[in-house]
């Protein structure tokens, strides 16, 4: 049968990224206890295409992904996956993005009730032929924030809201990435109070009062997260967005920051 994709193209335009988007597969994500968690991942998988080729071979992306969906995954596996893409698709660069829900264990502060909190996470890997893997971790961490101004000017009470920090991290070559569980725990501490999926009355009292005693503007939370991230050994770059879904406004409060550490 004719290989139409490999026919020559005369327009002289090399395509930077071409491949598949919004494919869905189950994957096994390595956990900090040495095990793994099964997730459903939304995938974007692309390679560069030289100007002389008409198209890439779309079926090969799934052929590469399928075996890796059966193995616990972290940076080394992403590196090998991209190396396969460079080889089998005759490309100079490859990129894969896996977006998924990841669940972390939570224990209510007073009753000790166990539950799990879902986090939106993303693994992004980029690799050039002959180069090192560039791995990026993205995590969205929810928490509670309480307004210092509201507390200061009100005779009783203060407005609070659910907030989220969206963090992207890259580490220096040879340094292992932080585990999702550890990054989530580090981040939620910078808000007014953590969020728990399951709370009894005594727990609700505890977190309400804890937030009241720890009021923070969105700017406070962002700065505290930045300081916490600066303390992670081997970090090369990070970006942070903080958003408070305001309870007394029809808009969010927002702050963002980005740093190169090398």
């Amino acid at each position: 049968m004719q290989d139409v994709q490999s026919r020559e193209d005369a327009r002289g335009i090399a395509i930077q990224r071409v491949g598949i988007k919004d494919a869905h597969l189950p994957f096994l994500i390595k956990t900090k206890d040495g095990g793994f968690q099964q997730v459903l991942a939304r995938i974007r998988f692309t390679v560069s295409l030289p100007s002389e080729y008409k198209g890439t071979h779309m079926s090969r992306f799934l052929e590469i992904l399928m075996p890796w969906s059966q193995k616990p995954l972290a940076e080394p596996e992403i590196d090998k996956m991209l190396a396969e893409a460079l080889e089998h698709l005759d490309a100079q660069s490859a990129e894969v993005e896996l977006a998924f829900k990841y669940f972390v264990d939570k224990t209510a502060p007073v009753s000790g009730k166990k539950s799990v909190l879902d986090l939106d996470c993303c693994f992004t890997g980029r690799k050039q032929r002959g180069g090192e893997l560039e791995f990026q971790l993205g995590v969205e961490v929810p928490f509670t924030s309480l307004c210092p101004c509201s507390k200061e000017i009100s005779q009783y009470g203060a407005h609070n809201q659910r907030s989220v920090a969206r963090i992207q991290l890259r580490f220096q070559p040879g340094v292992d990435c932080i585990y999702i569980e550890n990054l989530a725990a580090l981040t939620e501490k910078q808000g007014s109070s953590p969020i728990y999926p399951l709370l009894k009355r005594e727990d609700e009292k505890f977190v309400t009062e804890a937030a009241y005693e720890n009021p923070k503007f969105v700017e406070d939370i962002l700065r505290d997260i930045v300081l916490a991230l600066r303390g992670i050994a081997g970090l090369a770059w990070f970006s942070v967005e903080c958003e408070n879904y305001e309870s007394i406004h029809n808009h969010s409060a927002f702050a963002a920051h980005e740093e190169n550490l090398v």
Side-chain angles (χ1 to χ4, degrees), residues 104-128:
V104 296
D105 295 327
K106 299 288 288 185
T107 302
V110 180
S111 70
K113 293 288 185 179
K114 305 290 185 181
S115 58
V116 290
L117 177 68
D118 61 297
L119 304 176
D120 288 319
C121 301
C122 185
F123 285 176
T124 303
R126 304 179 185 93
K127 189 175 180 67
Q128 300 281 336

Side-chain angles (χ1 to χ4, degrees), residues 232-246:
I232 299 176
L235 198 60
W237 168 89
F238 67 82
S239 72
V240 185
E241 292 183 358
C242 287
E243 184 173 0
N244 291 352
Y245 301 107
E246 294 287 294

